[in-house]
Amino acid sequence: MGEVSLLLIIPVMTAVLCWQIKNHPIGEKLQVAGALLNVFIGLSIARNAFFVAPVTGWHHLIYIDALSAFNVMLIVLIGFIASLYSVGYMRHEVAERIISEEKVRHYYLWFHLFIGTMLVVSVVNNIGLLWVGIELTTLVSALLVAFYRKGTSLEAAWKYLIMGSVGIAFALLGIIFLYLSGVDLFGESAESLNWTVLHRAAGQLNPQWTLIAFIFVLVGFGTKAGLAPMHFWLPDAHSQAPSPISAVLSGVLLNTALYGIFRIYTIVNTTLDGKAASYLIFFGLLSIAITVPFMLVQHDLKRMLAYSSVEHIGIITLGVGIGGALGLYGAVLHMFHHSMAKSLLFFAAGNITQKYHSKRMERISGVLKTMPMTGSIFLIAAFAITGTPPFNIFISEFTIMRAGFQSGHLVATVLFLLFVVLIFSGMMYYVVRMAFGEAPAKVEKKEMSRWSTVALFLPLIAVIVFGLYVPPFFQEIIQQVAFVLQGGKS
């Protein structure tokens, strides 16, 4: 349990120290060191959960199984890469007099607290505490969305807070109904909202209450995850936040909200004999479909990437809804692949928007000439995120398609394939125009800082390598997570 305590304490300590230390270079290195230390601790906890036994403690308040460990792994990895990228990104913002060094200290404070709140969500056993953790992620990340204090960023943060609060209220009602579904079994026991207790008794819960609970939770946490039609806050928030925050929002925050849905889904689906899956298929397919028109008429680079996140959260949800060993394997693999590819895209987009001083895609051209390294990586990441072989997203999308056809969900799978093709066409149209063409004369032909460039290579390795080869140990991890989603207990 010492490791779990450190996992939760280190982001808080790092945040407070970065806020207190006024020496800017020391603060930068300290926050990178804190994030790196959490990588080692998080991966150590994940290894134990994957290959030894679930990690428990704190009087049954902590429970880390394969599903929890998988989310912890993604949070610490993307968190570290984003902390590395943030150094170069924030230095440029200070140099351009967009922000002051004082604001950088506040940025690192809220950044590391944000990472800490997501880790809390991932390790608690009690579903009520999970709800509290997801609410905390909203409050902390809203401050990062509003970081620049401009009209558009404040409006985006306000919309995010309002929709997030409405969603979290729905989720709270769902959790109350879930509690009612087992009140005859557990009475008013303090552990009656522990996932391990509910999961063990899933077959004895009241099916009417569990169905109502799941619908409320799906709408509530689905709002935070960016599932359509509750997704309208997402393009504004992700486009207005600093690029490293956009990467964390898309790469792991959305997964963390999905984690809340899937935790409860594993209980409810057992109670309802698999009938809850149809709701995931519907909302997953709707999220993919609603992305198509917005992707075709987009003008803002970061908004385009945000709508792509809505698509991929829909794909993950669809994969879990299709179910079976193959569908769940593809969905879990897609969570990892999307986190890596989308964070890579937002990092590359951050370099591009800082270089061109604009997020408007019509003002960006010739990126391969002005920033050959960033431009090449941006092009690779764009091909990857749209499911082009031989990159990683293609593998997981193809796996989900196979699962859909094999399980008899023919209409849903054909629509999924059609939507993916349309989104590929729309997105690549804009990406090719930005990557090629003549570079504006006023744009200097030079890469951004080494910090901003080096950070791109870490997720890039995953995007390329996992498209060609999934190591056996990682396949075992994915299978363990899929087993938990199927209703098993690791």
Side-chain angles (χ1 to χ4, degrees):
M1 282 309 299
E3 283 189 325
V4 177
S5 300
L6 285 173
L7 182 75
L8 301 180
I9 290 170
I10 285 172
V12 177
M13 290 180 60
T14 304
V16 172
L17 288 172
C18 287
W19 180 44
Q20 290 293 327
I21 293 173
K22 295 184 178 180
N23 187 309
H24 192 49
I26 292 177
E28 289 176 339
K29 294 177 177 62
L30 175 66
Q31 65 92 22
V32 172
L36 180 59
L37 182 57
N38 243 25
V39 170
F40 290 121
I41 295 169
L43 292 184
S44 175
I45 292 170
R47 181 182 59 81
N48 289 331
F50 289 136
F51 302 114
V52 181
V55 179
T56 60
W58 292 5
H59 304 288
H60 307 293
L61 287 179
I62 298 296
Y63 183 78
I64 306 175
D65 60 2
L67 179 58
S68 309
F70 187 74
N71 208 45
V72 166
M73 179 182 72
L74 289 177
I75 292 167
V76 296
L77 287 174
I78 299 299
F80 168 67
I81 299 168
S83 73
L84 201 64
Y85 179 84
S86 292
V87 174
Y89 188 89
M90 286 297 152
R91 282 182 181 178
H92 181 273
E93 299 292 86
V94 171
E96 293 287 318
R97 299 182 183 277
I98 297 171
I99 60 172
S100 64
E101 288 194 1
E102 176 71 18
K103 279 201 68 108
V104 176
R105 289 165 53 209
H106 287 89
Y107 169 84
Y108 289 131
L109 167 69
W110 297 118
F111 173 84
H112 287 279
L113 288 178
F114 181 30
I115 298 297
T117 58
M118 289 188 288
L119 290 171
V120 168
V121 173
S122 304
V123 303
V124 293
N125 186 15
N126 187 279
I127 292 173
L129 291 178
L130 182 147
W131 178 88
V132 171
I134 290 182
E135 173 70 346
L136 285 174
T137 65
T138 303
L139 297 175
V140 175
S141 57
L143 294 168
L144 290 164
V145 171
F147 180 72
Y148 289 115
R149 300 293 191 271
K150 296 178 181 177
T152 50
S153 59
L154 291 172
E155 180 185 350
W158 181 248
K159 183 187 291 188
Y160 175 35
L161 277 174
I162 293 297
M163 292 198 68
S165 298
V166 171
I168 211 74
F170 272 87
L172 179 59
L173 284 172
I175 290 170
I176 291 170
F177 291 138
L178 187 63
Y179 170 79
L180 290 174
S181 72
V183 73
D184 293 335
L185 285 174
F186 313 120
E188 297 181 2
S189 167
E191 297 184 350
S192 58
L193 274 180
N194 283 3
W195 180 83
T196 48
V197 172
L198 288 165
H199 183 268
R200 192 163 50 243
Q204 305 170 58
L205 300 178
N206 183 299
Q208 285 77 28
W209 282 122
T210 53
L211 176 59
I212 296 170
F214 183 63
I215 292 171
F216 273 91
V217 165
L218 185 57
V219 172
F221 288 154
T223 301
K224 189 65 179 286
L227 284 174
M230 302 82 69
H231 69 287
F232 291 105
W233 66 270
L234 191 150
D236 291 330
H238 290 216
S239 65
Q240 293 303 319
S243 286
I245 300 304
S246 300
V248 175
L249 288 169
S250 280
V252 284
L253 177 65
L254 302 185
N255 282 352
T256 301
L258 278 184
Y259 168 84
I261 294 173
F262 294 157
R263 266 291 176 222
I264 295 172
Y265 170 76
T266 58
I267 300 166
V268 174
N269 205 42
T270 300
T271 306
L272 300 178
D273 294 323
K275 294 176 184 175
S278 59
Y279 293 92
L280 295 186
I281 292 174
F282 173 77
F283 280 103
L285 203 58
L286 179 63
S287 299
I288 304 168
I290 213 162
T291 304
V292 175
F294 290 103
M295 193 67 74
L296 296 176
V297 296
Q298 204 49 247
H299 300 287
D300 184 293
L301 171 56
K302 291 182 69 179
R303 284 180 71 87
M304 181 179 74
L305 301 186
Y307 275 112
S308 171
S309 294
V310 176
E311 174 209 359
H312 287 283
I313 292 301
I315 292 172
I316 294 165
T317 306
L318 175 65
V320 174
I322 288 171
L326 194 61
L328 293 171
Y329 180 92
V332 177
L333 191 62
H334 200 79
M335 289 178 78
F336 176 79
H337 287 172
H338 173 251
S339 292
M340 293 298 159
K342 185 55 60 65
S343 59
L344 177 61
L345 259 177
F346 269 115
F347 294 145
N351 284 357
I352 292 168
T353 54
Q354 284 189 327
K355 172 69 73 174
Y356 284 78
H357 303 284
S358 177
K359 295 182 291 183
R360 302 286 295 182
M361 290 189 284
E362 65 268 20
R363 298 176 185 173
I364 300 171
S365 63
V367 176
L368 284 170
K369 294 178 180 177
T370 58
M371 310 166 72
M373 190 175 296
T374 296
S376 301
I377 292 173
F378 177 66
L379 201 56
I380 290 171
F383 275 116
I385 207 68
T386 51
T388 309
F391 302 111
N392 61 348
I393 293 281
F394 171 76
I395 301 297
S396 49
E397 286 187 350
F398 183 73
T399 303
I400 293 170
M401 286 180 193
R402 278 182 57 202
F405 284 123
Q406 287 182 11
S407 61
H409 294 93
L410 299 181
V411 174
T413 308
V414 169
L415 287 174
F416 168 42
L417 182 59
L418 174 64
F419 296 147
V420 166
V421 170
L422 290 173
I423 291 168
F424 168 83
S425 303
M427 190 168 182
M428 291 313 301
Y429 169 75
Y430 293 113
V431 168
V432 169
R433 286 176 58 186
M434 287 185 285
F436 298 97
E438 288 300 319
K442 61 180 181 179
V443 178
E444 182 185 5
K445 295 183 179 180
K446 183 183 177 183
E447 293 288 341
M448 303 302 289
S449 79
R450 285 179 296 175
W451 291 90
S452 299
T453 306
V454 168
L456 299 177
F457 286 93
L458 299 174
L460 178 66
I461 292 169
V463 166
I464 295 174
V465 171
F466 281 83
L468 302 171
Y469 174 70
V470 180
F473 82 90
F474 198 76
Q475 291 184 35
E476 184 181 342
I477 288 172
I478 300 297
Q479 288 164 358
Q480 286 190 37
V481 180
F483 178 70
V484 174
L485 288 174
Q486 204 162 16
K489 191 173 175 183
S490 62

